[in-house]
């Protein structure tokens, strides 16, 4: 597994992941130190090229990247400010990648105040249905939180999240997200066929490998290629 | 025979600020017109007249065609070009006595500016007419994309919004080009299972796919992306060849990185004294590109050598030969592996050619001539391949894109995740408005139509992309807040059962796009199709 754009996660999210990974003394560590430790933990491959200009990307940035004129647009016509959140209780899930989903939510002020007054707590109940099996676990969040990234596996199934409040020992489902389908790469679930498909492997590789030997940046691709190599295909 | 699908995607976000005498971000359009869209049209026209047997596909996004057919922006482009011509004449004079190594290029730039303006005027300022003529002569397959180039996977749980993006893309194409598009460029190659059903429901025959979608598909592919893919809805997917496209596209080893090619960044707008260059940069004294660049890439150094067009032309020939050879060699390898008549899908942003890669148009011309005259290649288009009814394979493909990591990380990260809370809430509210105020006419209908326009513009993938890349972030944020704020003006006014007419008229003047939009598109109970 790789950590994609880990720099973009908040300190709270980083601490949450670090705790899940068994990293101790999190509160004593700086944001950069947590990122470094997580990278080591996930053995992110420095040669993966994730930090290079991705040749897949559109050239829009090429059109705009020389500007650096932020002050100039300050004078654009103003519009009403957007609220920090909306006064409804809801939870949403968006797929970021094959290994992460992004969850955001809001809690109506009246409900939020009630939970706070009674010393209650809030959690995200993550449900992952994968290949007919169900995995459910809670991620404790604070009333001031409103977003979280959740790890997901490959598989044939989906992930959903419920927003749960617990007040005076009683849990209540406040909102449920829609489902996000898991990524199901055929080859990662049929590794036994790999050894008999040398020729097919070469064809696959020829589409996604550039002349300098680098491959398209994608976690399932990397895992599939690794599995093919482990199956000892003739390259 | 190697079948080559060259698919170019021309897109720019909708930028129109006629409330200002000049607006810097409008230069995105003017630079692309001057350096890509006009010279490319001239080149395609030229090789057609020369009888070159070529076919390519070009997507003009709805936002781009709207700007290209906007009289106010056309007028501003003429002003922009007249400034280039005036600067060119000054540069030809200046380089007679100073920076004399630049004199030849100064003359060329002046010539390009004059001929580009002539071409522009010869099409009565609407160059899309020229591209349509080539489509009528069966040289080009024209296709469309989502209305505002929204990255669709992040809106998949809002079928009305997806449908509105697809329908308004197709409708704008039909209005501008007079014919329905068969192909639909998935913005950022963003696909999710089920999107093809929406496309099929609206009469779309094909779309492109990210390269990695085949090896990581839900089914076992036996053609590895070298034959078209039949998606569950029967829409045909054309997977991008990452290997071949990276020969051009790679920022580290792609052809455009050659040290003899012209440098993109070193421009006299940044280097000449202010008193000289002031009339040609942005007011009051904001330096910007002028299109006059005299240096070669050289290498990772500030000390750039002067650009030598003859040397660059030699490199173009070498790169064309190398590109043709790479395709042919790959075809031989695939033939040996049991795949005959492979289909190579070469998808690029159009603005790479000419604008970013100065020699790119010359490269394209040489490539089309070379492939068109050789029996080793068949330049074709996706619709032609579909009509041939040649081999394809049924494949269920996972969600995918051509962004970093192959999914949504580019458009959903720490820099831009906050926008979805607001945009998706606006979609909820737009749906709510269609129920509360169904089938409104007159001012209320216009007010609601304006809300749907603002919502579509907020959904553009360009804003989160710019935030992710940390380039023109302030502008992107302003635009997004402006569209969402405008949407909220309608929502809150309609909630009070009022129409702010002055605001409405100004908003309609500001964003002159999608004249045929109907806000009822966002009604979840009405499954309108194109």
């Amino acid at each position: 597994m790789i950590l994609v754009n880990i720099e973009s996660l908040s300190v709270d999210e980083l601490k949450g992941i670090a705790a899940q990974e068994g990293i101790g003394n999190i509160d004593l560590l700086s944001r950069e130190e947590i990122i470094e430790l997580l990278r080591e933990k996930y053995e992110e491959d420095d040669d993966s090229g994730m930090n290079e200009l991705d040749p897949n990307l559109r050239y829009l940035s090429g059109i705009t990247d020389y500007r650096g004129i932020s002050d100039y647009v300050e004078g654009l016509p103003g519009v009403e400010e957007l609220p920090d959140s909306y006064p409804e209780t809801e939870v949403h899930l968006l797929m970021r990648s094959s290994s992460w989903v992004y969850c955001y939510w809001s809690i109506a002020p009246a409900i939020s105040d009630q939970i706070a007054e009674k010393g209650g707590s809030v959690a995200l109940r993550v449900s992952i249905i994968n290949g007919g099996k169900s995995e459910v676990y809670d991620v404790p969040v604070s009333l001031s939180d409103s977003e979280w990234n959740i790890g997901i596996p490959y598989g044939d199934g989906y992930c959903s999240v419920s927003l749960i409040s617990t007040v005076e020992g009683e849990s209540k489902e406040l909102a449920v997200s829609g489902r996000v389908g898991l990524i199901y790469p055929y080859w990662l679930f049929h590794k036994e066929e790999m050894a008999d498909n040398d020729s097919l492997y070469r064809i696959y590789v020829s589409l996604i490998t550039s002349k300098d030997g680098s491959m398209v940046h994608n976690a399932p691709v990397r895992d599939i290629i690794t599995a093919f190599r482990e199956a000892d295909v003739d390259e | 025979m190697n079948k080559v699908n060259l698919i170019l995607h021309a897109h720019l976000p909708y930028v129109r600020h006629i409330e200002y005498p000049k607006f810097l971000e409008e230069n995105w359009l003017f630079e692309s017109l001057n350096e890509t869209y006009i010279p490319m049209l001239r080149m395609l026209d030229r090789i057609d007249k020369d009888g070159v047997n070529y076919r390519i596909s070009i997507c003009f996004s709805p936002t781009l065609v709207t700007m290209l057919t906007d009289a106010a922006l056309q007028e501003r482009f003429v002003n922009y070009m007249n400034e280039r011509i005036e600067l060119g004449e000054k540069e030809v004079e200046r380089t007679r006595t100073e920076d004399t190594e630049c004199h030849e290029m100064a003359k060329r730039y002046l010539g390009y500016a004059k001929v580009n303006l002539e071409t522009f005027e010869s099409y009565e300022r609407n160059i899309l007419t020229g591209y349509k003529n080539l489509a009528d002569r069966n040289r080009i397959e024209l296709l469309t994309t989502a209305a505002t180039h929204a990255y669709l996977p992040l809106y998949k749980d809002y079928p009305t919004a997806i449908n509105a993006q697809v329908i308004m893309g197709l409708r704008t194409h039909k209005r501008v080009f007079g014919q329905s598009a068969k192909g639909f460029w998935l913005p950022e190659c963003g696909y999710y299972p089920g999107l093809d059903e929406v496309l099929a429901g609206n009469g779309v025959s094909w779309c492109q796919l990210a390269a990695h979608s085949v090896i990581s598909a839900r089914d076992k592919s036996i053609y590895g992306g070298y034959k078209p893919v039949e998606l569950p809805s029967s829409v045909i997917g054309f997977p991008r060849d990452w290997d071949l496209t990276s020969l051009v596209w790679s920022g580290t080893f792609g052809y455009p990185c050659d040290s003899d090619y012209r440098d993109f960044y070193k421009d006299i707008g940044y280097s000449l004294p202010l008193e000289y260059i002031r009339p040609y940069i942005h007011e009051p004294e904001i330096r910007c590109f002028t299109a006059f660049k005299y240096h070669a890439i050289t290498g990772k150094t500030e000390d750039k050598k002067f650009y030598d067009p003859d040397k660059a032309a030699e490199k173009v020939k070498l790169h064309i030969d190398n590109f043709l050879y790479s395709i042919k060699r790959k075809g031989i390898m695939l033939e040996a592996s049991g795949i005959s008549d492979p289909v190579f899908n070469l998808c690029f942003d159009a603005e790479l050619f000419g604008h970013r890669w100065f020699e790119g148009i010359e490269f394209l011309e040489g490539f089309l001539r070379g492939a068109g005259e050789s029996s080793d290649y068949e330049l074709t288009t996706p619709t032609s391949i579909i009509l041939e009814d040649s081999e394809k394979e049924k494949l269920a493909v996972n969600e995918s894109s051509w962004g970093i990591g192959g999914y949504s990380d580019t458009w959903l990260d720490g820099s831009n995740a906050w926008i979805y809370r607001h945009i998706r809430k606006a979609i909820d509210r737009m749906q709510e408005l269609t129920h509360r105020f169904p089938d409104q006419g007159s001012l209320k209908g216009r007010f609601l139509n304006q809300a749907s326009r603002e919502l579509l513009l907020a959904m553009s993938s360009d804003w989160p992309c710019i935030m992710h890349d940390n380039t023109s972030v302030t502008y992107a944020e302003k635009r997004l807040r402006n569209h969402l704020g405008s949407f909220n003006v309608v929502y809150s006014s309609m909630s009070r059962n009022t129409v702010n007419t002055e605001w409405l008229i100004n908003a309609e003047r500001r964003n002159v796009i999608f004249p045929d939009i109907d806000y009822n598109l966002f009604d979840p109970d009405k499954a309108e199709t194109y």
Side-chain angles (χ1 to χ4, degrees):
Chain A
M1 182 181 281
I2 57 169
L3 292 174
V4 178
N5 282 353
I6 188 172
E7 297 86 350
S8 65
L9 303 184
S10 70
V11 174
D12 283 346
E13 288 167 336
L14 288 168
K15 283 182 177 175
I17 296 168
Q20 284 173 3
E21 294 300 329
I23 297 172
N25 298 322
I26 302 165
D27 290 334
L28 301 175
L29 300 174
S30 69
R31 187 172 186 279
E32 287 67 32
E33 286 169 332
I34 299 175
I35 289 173
E36 192 56 38
L37 285 171
L38 281 172
R39 281 208 168 117
E40 285 173 17
K41 189 86 185 170
Y42 281 75
E43 295 178 337
E44 187 178 55
D45 182 4
D46 286 338
D47 298 327
S48 67
M50 292 298 291
N51 296 321
E52 291 175 14
L53 180 65
D54 192 319
N56 273 327
L57 270 182
R58 289 177 42 222
Y59 260 79
L60 178 74
S61 55
I63 295 171
T64 62
D65 65 6
Y66 55 86
R67 300 293 180 180
I69 48 150
S70 56
D71 292 345
Y72 166 70
V73 289
E74 290 296 333
L76 276 175
V79 291
E80 58 183 64
E81 283 295 307
L82 298 172
D84 290 334
S85 64
Y86 295 90
E88 288 100 9
T89 302
E90 53 191 23
V91 59
H92 297 269
L93 211 50
L94 297 173
M95 184 173 161
R96 281 182 68 166
S97 68
S98 57
S99 47
W100 293 98
V101 289
Y102 171 74
C103 180
Y104 72 88
W105 65 91
S106 59
I107 302 175
I111 298 173
S112 180
D113 291 348
Q114 208 175 24
I115 296 168
E117 276 168 22
K118 295 184 177 175
S121 62
V122 187
L124 299 175
R125 181 156 297 162
V126 179
S127 301
I128 297 174
I129 309 299
N130 188 0
K133 292 180 183 166
S134 170
E135 180 192 5
V136 180
Y137 63 92
D138 285 358
V139 178
V141 293
S142 77
L143 277 169
S144 59
D145 286 328
S146 60
E147 56 182 350
W148 206 265
N149 286 284
I150 297 163
I152 51 170
Y154 298 129
D156 192 7
Y158 62 87
C159 172
S160 65
V161 168
S162 302
L163 190 58
I164 305 289
S165 70
T166 303
V167 177
E168 294 170 347
E170 194 177 325
S171 292
K172 186 179 172 187
E173 186 174 77
L174 301 175
V176 187
S177 76
R179 295 172 175 180
V180 166
L182 304 178
I183 295 291
Y184 176 85
Y186 173 89
W187 283 109
L188 291 181
F189 293 88
H190 296 82
K191 291 180 181 174
E192 72 285 356
E193 296 178 26
M194 287 178 164
D196 300 326
N197 281 284
D198 294 23
S199 175
L200 199 47
Y201 170 72
R202 284 195 297 276
I203 291 169
Y204 287 151
V205 169
S206 72
L207 191 83
I208 55 169
T209 309
S210 61
K211 75 167 188 182
D212 71 345
S214 60
M215 278 189 191
V216 64
H217 303 142
N218 179 254
V221 166
R222 196 191 50 191
D223 293 342
I224 290 167
I225 296 298
T226 302
F228 261 110
R229 286 175 179 163
E230 284 170 0
D232 206 21
V233 291
D234 180 11
E235 296 186 47
Chain B
M1 178 78 84
N2 300 298
K3 298 189 177 189
V4 180
N5 260 332
L6 179 60
I7 307 173
L8 301 180
H9 175 49
H11 164 67
L12 289 173
Y14 186 69
V15 177
R16 181 181 187 272
H17 294 282
I18 56 168
E19 65 274 25
Y20 294 88
K22 279 186 183 178
F23 198 85
L24 195 50
E25 272 66 18
E26 286 179 359
N27 282 12
W28 297 348
L29 173 67
F30 303 155
E31 288 168 9
S32 297
L33 260 168
N34 184 31
E35 293 164 1
T36 296
Y37 310 142
I38 293 174
M40 186 180 288
L41 172 59
R42 222 173 25 247
M43 179 275 284
L44 293 173
D45 213 27
R46 181 167 61 242
I47 61 174
D48 176 52
K49 288 192 170 79
D50 287 352
V52 175
N53 186 24
Y54 79 91
R55 309 284 309 283
I56 65 168
S57 305
I58 306 181
C59 172
F60 284 100
S61 73
T63 48
L64 179 59
V65 299
T66 302
M67 292 189 290
L68 290 174
T69 51
D70 183 305
L73 288 172
Q74 289 167 344
E75 179 67 25
R76 282 154 88 99
F77 176 66
V78 170
N79 296 340
Y80 172 89
M81 291 307 294
N82 281 327
E83 280 183 3
R84 297 317 98 181
I85 291 169
E86 186 182 298
L87 175 59
E89 284 163 350
K90 278 175 70 172
E91 275 299 279
V92 169
E93 280 310 306
R94 183 184 72 85
T95 54
R96 280 189 211 283
T97 52
E98 58 181 278
D99 295 337
T100 51
E101 300 91 336
C102 307
H103 186 63
E104 178 56 32
M105 279 311 293
K107 284 199 292 187
R108 287 195 188 206
Y109 285 134
L110 174 60
Y112 296 149
K114 284 180 176 173
V115 76
N116 283 347
L117 184 55
E118 269 172 33
T119 305
F120 188 68
E121 294 288 10
S122 74
Y123 287 102
E124 295 175 344
R125 300 186 174 186
N126 179 7
I127 60 155
L128 295 176
T129 310
Y131 283 100
K132 185 180 180 309
N133 292 344
L134 288 167
D136 291 342
R137 293 206 291 278
N138 209 24
R139 290 294 178 208
I140 301 178
E141 172 169 1
L142 292 169
L143 58 145
T144 190
T145 183
T148 57
H149 209 263
Y151 177 67
L152 301 175
L154 291 176
Y155 299 104
K156 65 185 168 194
D157 38 358
Y158 288 94
T160 58
I162 297 286
N163 209 37
Q165 284 282 346
V166 172
I167 287 177
M168 291 315 298
L170 290 164
R171 204 176 274 176
T172 304
H173 183 94
K174 174 92 183 276
R175 180 167 47 77
V176 172
F177 292 109
Q179 284 183 330
S180 299
K182 292 287 175 202
F184 191 93
W185 177 276
L186 298 179
E188 323 291 4
C189 277
Y191 173 83
Y192 63 87
L195 178 55
D196 52 305
E197 303 281 351
V198 181
L199 298 179
N202 285 292
V204 172
S205 302
W206 66 271
C207 60
Q208 95 290 14
L209 294 170
H212 65 89
S213 63
V214 176
I215 183 174
S216 63
R218 301 179 73 83
D219 299 324
K220 177 181 175 179
S221 164
I222 56 168
Y223 291 125
Y226 294 106
K227 295 285 183 185
V229 167
E230 186 178 338
L231 296 165
S233 64
S234 296
V235 163
I236 305 298
F238 289 85
R240 182 169 178 250
D241 190 313
W242 195 76
D243 165 36
L244 291 173
T245 49
S246 69
L247 289 172
V248 177
W249 198 276
S250 169
T252 48
F253 61 79
Y255 303 138
C257 303
D258 191 282
S259 60
D260 286 328
Y261 285 149
R262 198 203 64 180
D263 189 79
F264 176 76
Y265 292 95
K266 216 167 161 65
D267 185 292
I268 62 169
Y270 293 93
S271 59
L272 289 184
L274 265 178
E275 57 271 23
Y276 177 84
I277 206 71
R278 189 178 286 112
Y280 312 104
I281 57 174
H282 202 75
E283 293 170 355
E285 288 183 347
I286 298 167
R287 287 183 177 272
C288 61
F289 280 2
T290 62
F292 285 77
K293 306 164 202 271
Y294 297 125
H295 294 82
I297 291 172
T298 312
K300 288 180 179 175
T301 169
E302 278 299 292
D303 189 20
K304 305 276 184 193
K305 62 187 179 186
F306 285 107
Y307 179 66
D308 179 342
D310 296 331
K311 219 170 176 179
E314 286 304 311
K315 281 289 171 67
V316 170
K317 283 180 195 160
L318 287 175
H319 288 150
I320 291 164
D321 288 345
N322 182 268
F323 199 50
L324 288 167
Y325 169 73
S326 299
I327 295 171
K328 187 176 170 181
R329 192 184 58 175
K330 201 165 181 182
I332 293 167
M333 182 279 285
L334 290 168
E335 181 86 43
S337 301
I339 297 180
S340 56
D341 300 331
V343 179
F344 299 107
N345 304 305
L346 312 176
C347 307
F348 298 104
D349 278 350
E351 297 80 13
L352 169 64
F353 300 95
H355 174 57
R356 187 72 176 203
W357 179 18
F358 180 61
E359 298 80 3
I361 301 283
E362 209 179 321
F363 173 85
L364 271 185
E365 176 168 356
F367 171 70
L368 293 173
R369 284 182 186 276
E373 287 162 8
S374 166
S375 58
D376 291 325
Y377 314 90
E378 180 190 342
L379 293 168
T380 186
T381 68
T383 293
S384 298
I385 289 174
I386 292 168
L387 289 173
E388 285 168 11
D389 201 21
S390 53
E391 276 179 306
K392 53 186 177 284
E393 65 175 336
K394 290 189 177 185
L395 215 55
V397 173
N398 282 298
E399 184 164 328
S400 46
S401 84
W402 71 3
I404 292 170
Y407 299 102
S408 302
D409 285 296
T410 300
W411 304 276
L412 178 64
D413 75 351
S415 71
N416 52 32
W418 63 273
I419 73 174
Y420 297 100
R421 184 185 297 270
H422 300 291
I423 297 174
R424 289 157 62 97
K425 177 58 72 181
I427 298 171
D428 278 334
R429 288 178 167 179
M430 191 70 235
Q431 293 180 163
E432 177 197 328
L433 287 173
T434 64
H435 274 190
R436 287 170 61 190
F437 306 99
D439 302 320
Q440 296 288 320
S442 191
L443 274 179
K444 272 189 184 171
R446 279 171 59 189
F447 207 37
L448 290 161
N449 285 342
Q450 190 57 31
S452 53
R453 262 180 216 115
E454 303 288 352
L455 176 52
L456 288 177
L457 287 164
M459 290 173 71
S460 162
S461 74
D462 302 299
W463 315 135
C465 181
I466 291 171
M467 291 174 196
H468 171 88
D469 290 345
N470 199 20
T471 51
S472 299
V473 176
T474 314
Y475 179 70
E477 268 201 44
K478 279 269 184 185
R479 282 293 302 274
L480 192 88
R481 288 179 185 278
N482 197 304
H483 293 306
L484 287 170
S486 297
F487 173 84
N488 286 336
V489 167
V490 178
Y491 182 75
S492 52
S493 295
M494 289 301 286
S495 298
R496 297 191 299 271
N497 206 21
T498 58
V499 174
N500 183 338
T501 50
E502 187 187 356
W503 180 92
L504 172 62
I505 288 162
N506 284 333
E508 285 177 337
R509 279 188 193 147
R510 192 168 58 237
N511 294 320
V512 190
I513 189 167
F514 310 132
D516 42 4
I517 200 167
D518 176 353
Y519 71 95
N520 289 295
L521 275 175
F522 284 89
D523 184 344
D525 299 331
K526 288 183 186 168
E528 189 176 341
T529 53
Y530 168 59

